[in-house]
Amino acid sequence: MKDGNEDSRAGRSRGNLSRRRLIQGTAGTFGAALASAGIYEMIDTIVKPPYRAAAVDSTPVEEQYILQNEQVVMVDGSGVKSSHGKIAVRVPALHDHVITAKLNVSANAKALQEAQHHLESVLMGLEREFPPTPTGVAATVAWGLPYFHHYIPTLGKTSSFFRAGTSYPAYLPVDLTTSKKEGHTVYALQEARTFPSDQSPPGFGPVRMEQNDVAVLLRSDSLANIKAASNALFGSGSSRAGSLFKVTSIRQGFSGGGFYGKQGLPSKLALAADIPGAKSIPREAQGFLGFATTLDSNMGPGVIANLETLPGLTDQWPNGYFKQGTTMHLSHLFQDLVTWYEKNFPQYADRVQAMLHPGLSPAPSPGTLALQPPGQSEAEVAQGVKRYHSYGHTGSMSEVDSTTSPKTSNYGKAYPTGTTIPVRGDFDTLDNPFHYTSDPTADHYSKKPAAGLHFIQFQPTTAIFNIVRLSMDGHYPDRTLPVEPRSAHAGINSVLHTTHRQNYLVPPRRHRSFPLAEFLA
């Protein structure tokens, strides 16, 4: 297997410069961090943006979480676009940034409604300047439970959605499926929780359950476009929205770069930053662990991840306030590349079985792996544990993250059994754990680059995320597999170290700015 050493000397010299920039960009104030992308500045100089056909229609859709005009290419087993390729892979934006914040707005109707108009004006200005596509910049505004709890305690005005006097959390979308199962009202957005295999790095302390009011996800093939959007939303000045927020973190990263046969960003940047284990990353890999992460079959199609799309999931069909919205999970994890490539899974076949499921005998791959994961039922996963005393990462989740029978959506779209529901938006990072944090001590901030993942997933309810994540640890609603969830026998869990988690509600575009503030009196 190729190890990505091409141009390694040049990469190392660029890396030395990049690390100096990284230190200068993040060790100072928020303003300096906002203006600098540190080591990520080199991306636009070493990788050409992927070819993207012109968008037929770049009018923003209501679903904020959908990255419009995200092309799908057919790749071969090494993850490279090919006329003989048989595997459909979505080509993500090269750059991904997340900025989290607390609000800097008084908790009264007048202040919040003024803030609502101001933020929406800035967002609309961005859309006039950039299409919401990878060639422009796509902005997704998500709101945490602290926003609703502290700023929207009671709705003071009657509307077609709510009665006056409706109090938190009664105006939030209801998870009908989980409410029926548990015998009480459960909302689509829930507080984040930890999971059996969650383990932070030594000395970090417990996984941090964050309490941000808002998170903004920015995606683009152009770093300049992302900087312009970040400055408009969080910079100072009357025409910008920065006065509304107290930024708590800036998280930056990347994805792809190798779909067209070139050295991918994970390999190039990890080598430039002297990350332990970087030499083992396959040359064209989309992610640090060497596997394609945006297989089209593993991403919810169309608007299936909306709150209201699948009948019976939530109460947002047909006319809910949050219709065409979704929920979002955001977390940060370190990835131990030495343990992955050298200790626990030193052979290519070992990594295939850990990522997919045991028992597979893959042909040697020239680099990254883009395999269509065979779906496994919960019973098949359990049978695999009996035979091999282990289970694979995607195999453990393939049934619980998909439709279990044919479904027809509320929009009349037919989804066959096994259709994936969540949409992933995660990206690799060298942040440690963030590019910038307002609390370096609590977040254990370090200037030293580290291989990590800013994990993002969109799904109709938090309960769906929790069920899928628990299955990754061998915990199913009706059984628990006899495998220690952090062992090398439990998929890829032994190489992951979680540091932060939080869940958010992503409103539709029409309500993205300070949702529900218009109903305060």
Side-chain angles (χ1 to χ4, degrees), residues 258-290:
F259 293 113
Y260 300 92
K262 304 295 184 181
Q263 187 178 4
L265 290 174
S267 172
K268 279 192 174 184
L269 292 181
L271 287 168
D274 283 337
I275 299 297
K279 291 182 179 181
S280 297
I281 300 171
R283 184 179 183 277
E284 298 93 357
Q286 182 184 355
F288 283 139
L289 299 188

Side-chain angles (χ1 to χ4, degrees), residues 105-117 517 520-521:
V105 179
S106 298
N108 63 70
K110 182 176 184 295
L112 287 166
Q113 288 162 6
E114 288 177 351
Q116 183 184 55
H117 291 303
L520 296 176

Side-chain angles (χ1 to χ4, degrees), residues 223-242:
L223 180 59
N225 291 1
I226 283 194
K227 283 186 174 183
S230 299
N231 195 39
L233 291 167
F234 297 99
S236 58
S238 60
S239 63
R240 298 165 183 161

Side-chain angles (χ1 to χ4, degrees), residues 163 240 322 361 425 505:
R163 293 192 301 269
R240 298 165 183 161
F322 292 102
S361 300
L505 184 60

Side-chain angles (χ1 to χ4, degrees), residues 252-442:
Q252 302 182 350
F254 50 89
S255 183
F259 293 113
Y260 300 92
K262 304 295 184 181
Q263 187 178 4
L265 290 174
S267 172
K268 279 192 174 184
L269 292 181
L271 287 168
D274 283 337
I275 299 297
K279 291 182 179 181
S280 297
I281 300 171
R283 184 179 183 277
E284 298 93 357
Q286 182 184 355
F288 283 139
L289 299 188
F291 289 77
T293 61
T294 56
L295 294 172
D296 198 45
S297 62
N298 283 358
M299 303 278 272
V303 297
I304 195 171
N306 283 23
L307 290 160
E308 81 289 346
T309 295
L310 294 178
L313 271 187
T314 76
D315 64 348
Q316 292 302 290
W317 179 266
N319 297 309
Y321 179 87
F322 292 102
K323 177 184 174 183
Q324 297 175 292
T326 190
T327 70
M328 180 181 87
H329 178 79
L330 171 65
S331 53
H332 170 264
L333 308 90
F334 288 114
Q335 296 174 306
D336 185 342
L337 303 187
V338 172
T339 296
W340 175 245
Y341 286 108
E342 300 174 18
K343 295 180 180 179
N344 288 359
F345 310 101
Q347 301 301 315
Y348 171 71
D350 298 335
R351 295 191 290 278
V352 171
Q353 292 174 18
M355 185 62 74
L356 302 181
H357 70 74
L360 295 175
S361 300
S365 170
T368 187
L369 179 69
L371 274 183
Q372 204 67 48
Q376 282 193 297
S377 67
E378 179 186 327
E380 288 172 329
V381 176
Q383 290 167 6
V385 169
K386 286 184 179 180
R387 182 174 180 180
Y388 301 103
H389 309 291
S390 62
Y391 62 85
H393 175 66
T394 61
S396 69
M397 302 182 290
S398 60
E399 182 177 86
V400 296
D401 74 353
S402 306
T403 55
T404 55
S405 61
K407 298 285 185 183
T408 299
S409 78
N410 283 318
Y411 295 103
K413 172 71 174 178
Y415 295 113
T417 300
T419 301
T420 302
I421 297 172
V423 175
R424 287 179 58 172
D426 50 282
F427 53 95
D428 281 345
T429 185
L430 295 172
D431 294 350
N432 191 356
F434 305 142
H435 175 69
Y436 162 84
T437 169
S438 62
D439 193 344
T441 301

Side-chain angles (χ1 to χ4, degrees), residues 4-68:
N5 273 323
E6 180 179 317
D7 296 329
S8 62
R9 291 185 180 180
R12 288 178 186 276
S13 65
R14 284 194 300 265
N16 292 332
L17 173 61
S18 299
R19 284 192 298 278
R20 287 198 297 271
R21 288 177 177 170
L22 180 66
I23 292 170
Q24 292 167 359
T26 58
T29 65
F30 160 68
L34 188 67
S36 169
I39 196 170
Y40 311 112
E41 300 274 1
M42 53 186 294
I43 292 176
D44 287 0
T45 66
I46 61 176
V47 176
K48 290 183 178 180
Y51 168 77
R52 300 189 190 273
V56 176
D57 183 5
S58 59
T59 303
V61 298
E62 283 296 323
E63 287 80 8
Q64 287 196 80
Y65 70 94
I66 291 178
L67 181 58
Q68 296 176 234

